[in-house]
Amino acid sequence: MEKDAEKVFRDLKEDISTYAELKLELIKLNTYERISKVVAVFSYGLLLCALIFITVQCVLLALCFLLNNWLNSMAGAFGIVAALYFLQIAIVILNRNRICRKIINIIISALNSNEENNDATGNTSSEEGRQK
């Protein structure tokens, strides 16, 4: 009887240690997933900003040449476009807090978005939940 109890406790100890190792691995994988989502969102945002920047540069350069034709003054045309740049800079500076909050909210939502809806066992994925 004692040997059976020892065997049960030994098996229980092994099961608990295995469970703890698996739980730690799951936490590690969830962390990797969330970090990769944040990096993906950040990379996408950086790429989008670069493309928008290049597009705005081309549009404003075209505007310079258009204003040059209308005004017959290269300096005047580039001066007007420079004033538009300063206006954009002022708008960004004045809305700094709103922009920062928006970026923080995007990062937090990327961190908190979990594509798996975990029930008590942690086995139900969001697609399975939607199909039910």
Side-chain angles (χ1 to χ4, degrees):
M1 182 76 175
E2 257 183 53
K3 291 188 179 188
D4 289 337
E6 287 178 17
K7 184 179 184 298
V8 169
F9 284 121
R10 201 174 329 116
D11 289 343
L12 185 60
K13 179 184 173 187
E14 289 175 15
D15 288 344
I16 290 173
S17 65
T18 303
Y19 173 78
E21 290 172 5
L22 290 175
K23 191 69 170 175
L24 184 63
E25 185 70 23
L26 179 64
I27 290 170
K28 188 170 39 168
L29 291 174
N30 283 339
T31 303
Y32 290 159
E33 179 185 17
R34 288 182 180 186
I35 289 172
S36 64
K37 282 181 183 181
V38 169
V39 169
V41 167
F42 181 73
S43 299
Y44 172 76
L46 197 61
L47 179 65
L48 187 63
C49 286
L51 291 174
I52 289 171
F53 177 75
I54 292 170
T55 304
V56 168
Q57 294 300 316
C58 291
V59 167
L60 290 176
L61 189 60
L63 181 63
C64 284
F65 289 116
L66 179 68
L67 288 174
N68 180 32
N69 287 339
W70 287 349
L71 299 175
N72 292 325
S73 170
M74 183 74 78
F78 278 89
I80 291 171
V81 172
L84 289 174
Y85 275 114
F86 285 124
L87 181 64
Q88 286 178 346
I89 290 169
I91 290 171
V92 169
I93 289 172
L94 291 174
N95 291 314
R96 179 177 54 100
N97 289 334
R98 186 180 305 159
I99 293 169
C100 288
R101 271 188 263 125
K102 181 72 173 172
I103 292 170
I104 289 170
N105 288 338
I106 289 170
I107 291 172
I108 289 173
S109 68
L111 281 172
N112 286 331
S113 70
N114 194 357
E115 293 181 357
E116 294 181 4
N117 293 332
N118 293 330
D119 60 2
T121 61
N123 293 330
T124 305
S125 70
S126 60
E127 291 181 17
E128 292 172 353
R130 282 187 225 130
Q131 292 174 354
K132 289 182 180 177

